[in-house]
Amino acid sequence: MPPPDDDLELHDQTPGDDHFREEVLAGLRATPKRIPCKYFYDERGSHLFERICELDEYYPTRTELGIMEAHAGEMATRLGAGCLLIEFGSGSSRKTRLLLERLEDPAGYVPVDISRATLARAAEALARERPELPVLPVCADYTHRFELPPVPRPVKRRAVYFPGSTIGNFGPDEARGFLAEIAALVGPGGALLIGVDLRKAREILEPAYDDAQGVTAAFNLNLLERINRELGADFDLDRFAHRARWSEDRGRVEMHLVSRIDQTVRIDGVPVRFAAGETIHTENSYKYELGEFAKLAALAGFQVRRAWTDPRQLFSVQFLTTP
């Protein structure tokens, strides 16, 4: 796919199909079986996730959007003038517009996403809307180190914007390591604006990941369809079921794909055996208390300076800085 237009260069740093194949096979050979949730987001997966964000049961997006609408001005003030805003998992960049409209003389905007098609569309749209803003899209797996593109303006501060509740997809140790990588990326005096989902009742959490319309189930199963298409596998999607459960002791929602029968699936000719009831663990979504997340962030080199929440304390957007 060519860059979205002649003026907007897309910096492609994706690892390629071999990396995808290796991670899928390694995960399905493990006990228990697992596939990294970052592979949800091919073009169809990204589209399905946008639909999930509009569901009645899925509170995070509308709650976070409400927080952003109420407090984006203060957030922009805290980020400061001349900020280079680096967004992880930018998707459609909907919430980002609320920030960019309020930032004073931003040095540039670097959306980072693993889905090339989604990234290209969103970056092109934003570049048309904001022709004065350097839009510098990077197609990369942000869970690994990547190179920032050259920025044509002076940068007074690097700041990562990590909206949604994606930090919850990392286990606590992984989250600490990931936050430490962000601290290294933004450098001394850098900033992080991050969405953090909060602990709440099972009755709210489980429907958010297992909606009545079955959109989340389709999103989860699309991972197998992607493996079929890109890796030459022969998963029969009717032989797998979506499952989402809240684990109180672990503080996380777990998503799985459950094999309905004993079966063997081949991935690029490699057989993988499934027993009836055996699962592929596709996602965790950890939920935090405010103080719990502050301690985690401190171990990674960040200090929480401000946390904004909604009236029901369902979700938070937090502003962190490095020394």
Side-chain angles (χ1 to χ4, degrees):
M1 181 187 298
D5 60 38
D6 291 339
D7 297 320
L8 187 63
E9 180 183 359
L10 195 151
H11 303 267
D12 198 338
Q13 300 178 41
T14 49
D17 289 344
D18 286 347
H19 190 70
F20 180 32
R21 180 183 183 277
E22 290 166 6
E23 286 207 276
V24 167
L25 286 174
L28 294 182
R29 287 167 174 158
T31 304
K33 292 179 170 64
R34 59 184 179 269
I35 299 175
C37 62
K38 63 187 177 184
Y39 291 120
F40 280 139
Y41 300 98
D42 63 349
E43 187 169 6
R44 182 167 185 264
S46 296
H47 173 70
L48 285 167
F49 185 70
E50 292 293 330
R51 287 182 58 196
I52 288 169
C53 292
E54 298 170 357
L55 294 169
D56 290 342
E57 298 98 327
Y58 196 74
Y59 63 87
T61 300
R62 64 174 176 273
T63 306
E64 183 180 21
L65 191 57
I67 294 170
M68 296 298 296
E69 289 170 343
H71 303 289
E74 183 185 349
M75 295 173 189
T77 298
R78 287 180 176 269
L79 288 169
C83 169
L84 177 66
L85 191 67
I86 307 158
E87 183 176 5
F88 285 5
S90 57
S92 64
S93 300
R94 179 181 174 190
K95 287 168 279 195
T96 318
R97 286 169 168 79
L98 294 170
L99 265 183
L100 290 173
E101 289 167 0
R102 293 162 175 80
L103 280 176
E104 181 183 349
D105 193 26
Y109 170 56
V110 182
V112 185
D113 203 286
I114 199 168
S115 175
R116 196 180 198 282
T118 301
L119 176 66
R121 280 197 301 271
E124 181 181 20
L126 190 57
R128 284 197 303 264
E129 294 169 20
R130 299 287 301 272
E132 81 289 352
L133 176 69
V135 178
L136 310 163
V138 175
C139 189
D141 176 359
Y142 59 74
T143 64
H144 297 278
R145 291 190 179 186
F146 62 91
E147 295 295 324
L148 287 174
V151 182
R153 297 180 183 174
V155 176
K156 294 184 179 178
R157 164 187 262 174
R158 288 183 181 180
V160 165
Y161 179 40
F162 196 29
S165 54
T166 310
I167 190 63
N169 295 152
F170 299 85
D173 290 341
E174 294 173 316
R176 184 175 67 235
F178 180 64
L179 291 171
E181 289 290 333
I182 296 177
L185 177 66
V186 298
L192 169 62
L193 188 66
I194 185 171
V196 181
D197 203 2
L198 303 179
R199 283 201 181 220
K200 58 190 71 67
R202 177 189 300 271
E203 292 73 23
I204 298 173
L205 286 166
E206 287 190 351
Y209 294 83
D210 193 9
D211 61 279
Q213 295 182 47
V215 181
T216 312
F219 174 71
N220 201 6
L221 287 161
N222 181 64
L223 180 57
L224 303 185
E225 181 60 38
R226 179 182 183 184
I227 294 169
N228 283 349
R229 185 178 64 253
E230 297 184 21
L231 301 181
D234 60 358
F235 280 101
D236 182 341
L237 273 60
D238 291 335
R239 294 182 174 184
F240 288 85
H242 166 70
R243 186 173 76 194
R245 296 289 185 271
W246 166 246
S247 173
E248 183 70 38
D249 59 335
R250 295 179 175 177
R252 70 190 191 191
V253 176
E254 297 180 2
M255 284 206 329
H256 295 259
L257 290 166
V258 186
S259 180
R260 298 179 186 272
I261 61 171
D262 291 341
Q263 58 182 307
T264 298
V265 175
R266 284 175 171 76
I267 301 167
D268 194 20
V270 179
V272 179
R273 176 71 179 166
F274 289 88
E278 188 175 9
T279 77
I280 307 171
H281 193 164
T282 55
E283 184 179 67
N284 290 320
S285 189
Y286 284 83
K287 312 302 175 184
Y288 289 95
E289 302 287 352
L290 289 173
E292 183 182 17
F293 186 76
K295 290 177 182 177
L296 179 68
L299 292 173
F302 277 109
Q303 181 176 354
V304 176
R305 300 291 185 178
R306 180 78 163 89
W308 299 270
T309 64
D310 61 286
R312 295 175 62 194
Q313 298 278 298
L314 297 176
F315 198 89
S316 69
V317 179
Q318 304 193 29
F319 176 74
L320 294 71
T321 61
T322 56

